[in-house]
Amino acid sequence: MANTQERMQQLKAFDESKAGVKGLVDDGITKVPSIFICKPEHPSAEDIPSSGKPGHDDQQFNIPIVDLGDVSAGRPSDKVIQDIRRAAESMGFFHVVNHGIPKRVLEEMLEAIRGFHELPREVKAEYYSRDPMRKVKFFSSYSLYQSRFAAWRDSLFCDMMAPEPLNPQELPLVCRDITMEYTNEMHKLGVTLFELLSEALGLKSDHLEGLDCAKEYLIAAHYYPPCPEPELTIGTAKHSDGTFITLLLQDHIGGLQVLYENRWIDVLPVPGSLIIISNDKFVSVVHRVVAKKEGPRLSVGCFFKHTDNSSRLYEPSKELISKENPPIYRSITMKEYLVEYHKNSLNEVSALESLKL
């Protein structure tokens, strides 16, 4: 009980500082505080953090790269659809290049997010919040008080569309204009990807968009400070995303890993975005971010998500079901799904398992 109370006091002190992990680093710590130390109950290759350095076998493995050049140029996209189908079915995770988003926009977005996270402590503190109704908020560790360990990461969340479009004035000035430009580009790319994914599933191109998959999206801009003891903690614990797809921009530092055939594979930075698909036909990949001595590491995820309180029923597409290919999952509302997702994510378990028939 004493240890539990002491840990809660440490968590509360960290949270109330409103300074995040960067605040600890700025204060000159040389040891990782106990609230950040990973203590797997059942140690395995999936649970124990690594240095992030690929082994010999990993160096032979390449994350799929899908070239969207033909789509951007308005040319027939049969090969692109085949490439997406192959990547989504085998890994559920791939780079896209020649996506049409200017390099300037990507670079300026990363620079602006770094600018926010490196603002004076008292300025950032104005945005620090765990209020689920607040559309723009800064915090460290989404489930700080519920998780087994805190993540070595600070985050700026911007909910762009729920339920109404975000007022740009709510965004920090240092990243306001580029965030609006960046998210506009991300939404256009997301719509294109949903069309391609629909066709890759053998459905009409507007099928997924017709399910409101592109209707709402949020930005999660992460800042991973350099860590004095990266082997003891984790930047982002292993998980699979609970959204429709994620478009991820990362800088040159690296640290992102995907679990493939019971091995953690380093996702080396490539200009473009990384896509994570969440269902059973297209793999919902488990991934994480390791802590590193180098840094800070920056990433910006654009999550195409559901309407949180929607009573709309989601179920396996009837066009894909047959006697030979019966449904794997039960029908569920998004509200019910979110309860399952958050309940299972604390235990680092996929919510999809609990939805199987």
Side-chain angles (χ1 to χ4, degrees):
M1 177 65 73
N3 287 340
T4 300
Q5 291 178 341
E6 181 181 353
R7 174 178 171 77
M8 186 57 64
Q9 290 173 354
Q10 293 173 351
L11 289 171
K12 189 174 181 181
F14 171 69
D15 199 24
E16 291 181 349
S17 75
K18 300 183 178 181
V21 178
K22 184 177 185 298
L24 298 175
V25 174
D26 290 346
D27 288 341
I29 63 164
T30 58
K31 298 288 184 181
V32 170
S34 60
I35 60 172
F36 292 92
I37 295 177
C38 302
K39 293 182 179 178
E41 296 176 7
H42 305 288
S44 71
E46 295 183 23
D47 292 315
I48 299 174
S50 71
S51 65
K53 295 179 180 179
H56 176 74
D57 290 340
D58 297 335
Q59 291 176 342
Q60 308 304 313
F61 184 90
N62 294 315
I63 301 294
I65 298 177
V66 176
D67 189 336
L68 296 182
D70 284 346
V71 176
S72 299
R75 294 190 291 266
S77 54
D78 289 351
K79 183 180 184 304
V80 176
I81 293 169
Q82 291 174 9
D83 289 345
I84 284 181
R85 181 187 301 115
R86 189 179 304 113
E89 288 181 345
S90 63
M91 280 202 73
F93 201 92
F94 51 92
H95 298 281
V96 293
V97 296
N98 295 323
H99 41 62
I101 301 175
K103 180 181 179 182
R104 171 196 62 81
V105 173
L106 304 182
E107 292 175 345
E108 289 185 12
M109 186 62 188
L110 288 173
E111 189 60 34
I113 293 308
R114 178 169 186 155
F116 169 80
H117 284 287
E118 296 182 353
L119 285 171
R121 187 176 303 198
E122 62 274 12
V123 177
K124 282 194 302 183
E126 297 177 13
Y127 293 92
Y128 197 92
S129 175
R130 295 190 182 278
D131 181 357
M133 302 306 294
R134 186 166 173 175
K135 299 190 71 167
V136 177
K137 52 185 175 285
F138 157 63
F139 57 86
S140 186
S141 289
Y142 182 78
S143 302
L144 179 66
Y145 294 98
Q146 294 80 31
S147 300
R148 290 187 290 130
F149 43 80
W152 196 263
R153 178 193 76 232
D154 296 332
S155 304
L156 176 66
F157 268 54
C158 309
D159 200 332
M160 306 304 295
M161 292 298 295
E164 301 296 332
L166 175 68
N167 181 349
Q169 297 304 310
E170 295 184 48
L171 291 165
L173 181 60
V174 68
C175 58
R176 182 177 300 161
D177 291 344
I178 188 59
T179 297
M180 297 305 296
E181 183 178 6
Y182 178 82
T183 54
N184 182 55
E185 294 283 359
M186 286 292 106
H187 183 253
K188 289 189 292 185
L189 176 58
V191 169
T192 297
L193 286 167
F194 279 123
E195 292 174 351
L196 294 170
L197 288 165
S198 294
E199 294 188 61
L201 286 165
L203 302 169
K204 293 180 179 179
S205 62
D206 62 353
H207 184 87
L208 292 176
E209 191 175 1
L211 294 175
D212 292 339
C213 292
K215 186 176 181 179
E216 295 192 8
Y217 52 98
L218 64 82
I219 291 290
H222 299 310
Y223 183 97
Y224 300 83
C227 182
E229 298 175 301
E231 69 280 1
L232 297 181
T233 188
I234 197 83
T236 298
K238 69 171 187 175
H239 68 288
S240 56
D241 292 346
T243 48
F244 293 121
I245 63 172
T246 303
L247 312 186
L248 181 71
L249 169 66
Q250 64 170 341
D251 67 6
H252 65 285
I253 297 293
L256 178 66
Q257 297 180 332
V258 296
L259 188 63
Y260 183 72
E261 296 182 348
N262 295 317
R263 293 183 302 153
W264 284 111
I265 306 295
D266 287 275
V267 181
L268 301 179
V270 171
S273 300
L274 301 173
I275 318 302
I276 301 165
I277 315 299
S278 295
N279 57 35
D280 210 68
K281 176 67 173 176
F282 289 164
V283 179
S284 179
V285 70
V286 174
H287 54 290
R288 68 179 185 180
V289 178
V290 296
K292 305 187 76 168
K293 285 193 173 183
E294 303 94 332
R297 175 186 184 268
L298 300 165
S299 72
V300 185
C302 182
F303 299 84
F304 285 85
K305 67 186 190 73
H306 27 68
T307 300
D308 292 351
N309 294 315
S310 174
S311 59
R312 179 171 188 166
L313 197 67
Y314 283 86
E315 58 188 356
S317 296
K318 290 180 172 57
E319 296 89 337
L320 302 179
I321 296 174
S322 65
K323 185 177 180 180
E324 294 74 26
N325 187 34
I328 297 174
Y329 301 107
R330 61 185 174 89
S331 302
I332 191 170
T333 67
M334 201 50 66
K335 190 174 182 178
E336 292 172 323
Y337 171 75
L338 284 175
V339 171
E340 290 293 326
Y341 178 78
H342 291 303
K343 180 176 69 176
N344 286 277
S345 63
L346 292 175
N347 298 318
E348 300 177 19
V349 175
S350 172
L352 294 178
E353 290 301 313
S354 65
L355 304 181
K356 287 187 175 180
L357 294 169

